Amino acid sequence: AAGKAGARVVVAGEGAGVDPRRAVRALAELGHTRLLTEGGPRLLGQLIAADALDELCLTVSPMVTAGDAQRIAGGPSVTLPRRFALSSVVEEDGFLFTRYRRA
């Protein structure tokens, strides 16, 4: 339906799933070499497991709560943690807007 509506559809997986490496490669072939993705813990976990994450923007709120929340990344395990370095941090009204890049 998206293709019929005029959108360019990129197939990068089997069925309803997306293979992050395949998606990055397919988009790069179309000239899209800088990608900004937004999603939840599952998408972030898939990008990390596929070693397809070069940068992470993370906001820290000056509020706390308790509960059964997940980590910021969920999904496939990785053998070795990926090391990122703090690139920038901005504070406004107690919020921290951070940017990390692959070390």
Side-chain angles (χ1 to χ4, degrees), residues 62-94:
M63 297 176 225
V64 295
T65 187
D68 296 327
Q70 301 177 14
R71 298 174 183 222
I72 65 166
S77 296
V78 294
T79 306
L80 294 173
R82 309 293 194 266
R83 180 73 181 163
F84 280 68
L86 183 63
S87 174
S88 64
V89 61
V90 175
E91 183 274 339
E92 184 172 321
D93 199 25

